[in-house]
């Protein structure tokens, strides 16, 4: 979860996530839908950020701190994976985000875009993430258009 937070931090040197970074996180992880609009995402960001910043003595940086991001992440996980226990909801949302981000990283590599927003390397190892690499190995690069991909979440037991 911290790696996701760090990936979407904007300006280097700050440890607070701005509204644009939070919206980019939502978009890149494909978390907005008919039941969670970008307007609702903005309200979530504002409400949680305001609450956490009111508890903090250090008011120099505006934006969402890591703890606030964790709260928002738990909220999103509970909405997305309603029927699972909380730890599996969170693990499933991490899997979903890493999957979509790996597809985005693969697409950027294949389509020649520069940089991967400071994220993890695209060949990071879960079975869901291996599919784009397998396509490349077979000589079938992923499409450079905005295509939809299905994701079947895996259930993790946290030890």
């Amino acid at each position: 979860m911290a790696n996701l937070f760090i990936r979407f931090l904007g300006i280097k040197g700050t440890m607070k996530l701005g509204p644009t970074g939070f919206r980019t996180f939502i978009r890149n992880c494909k978390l907005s839908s008919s039941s969670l609009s970008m307007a609702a995402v903005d309200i979530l960001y504002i409400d949680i950020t305001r609450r956490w910043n009111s508890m903090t003595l250090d008011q120099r940086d505006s934006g969402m701190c890591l703890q606030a991001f964790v709260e928002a992440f738990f909220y999103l996980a509970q909405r997305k994976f309603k029927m699972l226990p909380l730890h599996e909801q969170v693990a499933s949302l991490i899997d979903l985000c890493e999957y979509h981000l790996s597809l985005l990283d693969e697409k950027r590599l294949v389509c020649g875009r520069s940089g991967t927003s400071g994220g993890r390397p695209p060949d990071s190892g879960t079975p869901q993430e291996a599919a784009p690499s397998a396509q490349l190995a077979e000589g079938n690069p992923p499409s450079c258009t905005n295509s939809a991909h299905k994701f079947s979440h895996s259930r993790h037991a946290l030890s």
Side-chain angles (χ1 to χ4, degrees):
M1 203 179 314
N3 286 337
L4 291 171
F5 176 78
I6 290 167
R7 178 176 175 135
F8 292 100
L9 285 176
I11 301 166
K12 301 294 182 219
T14 182
M15 287 304 291
K16 297 250 182 137
L17 185 64
T20 303
F22 189 71
R23 294 187 93 195
T24 302
F25 156 70
I26 297 293
R27 267 195 312 277
N28 288 357
C29 292
K30 309 266 190 266
L31 299 179
S32 63
S33 65
S34 58
S35 64
L36 182 69
S37 67
M38 289 309 284
V41 167
D42 290 339
I43 292 168
L44 176 68
Y45 174 86
I46 291 165
D47 288 347
I48 292 176
T49 300
R50 188 175 290 154
R51 185 167 55 258
W52 278 92
N53 286 345
S54 71
M55 292 187 280
T56 309
L57 297 175
D58 183 11
Q59 296 290 328
R60 286 178 294 173
D61 293 332
S62 64
M64 182 179 267
C65 63
L66 175 62
Q67 297 91 328
F69 180 78
V70 169
E71 181 182 335
F73 198 90
F74 273 53
Y75 172 82
L76 294 165
Q78 289 170 320
R79 282 189 59 132
K80 186 89 176 158
F81 303 103
K82 291 181 174 79
M83 302 307 290
L84 298 175
L86 180 59
H87 69 280
E88 289 184 24
Q89 291 172 333
V90 172
S92 295
L93 187 57
I94 290 170
D95 286 347
L96 178 66
C97 290
E98 288 179 344
Y99 171 73
H100 284 297
L101 293 173
S102 71
L103 291 178
L104 190 60
D105 289 344
E106 290 280 349
K107 186 188 288 187
R108 285 180 178 154
L109 284 174
V110 171
C111 298
R113 283 195 186 168
S114 62
T116 59
S117 302
R120 297 165 20 138
D123 55 332
S124 44
T126 66
Q128 294 86 0
E129 293 171 345
S133 298
Q135 282 181 318
L136 289 174
E138 294 169 5
N140 301 325
S143 168
C144 291
T145 61
N146 196 8
S147 58
H149 296 278
K150 297 290 180 193
F151 174 76
S152 58
H153 68 275
S154 59
R155 296 182 182 189
H156 288 285
L158 298 177
S159 37

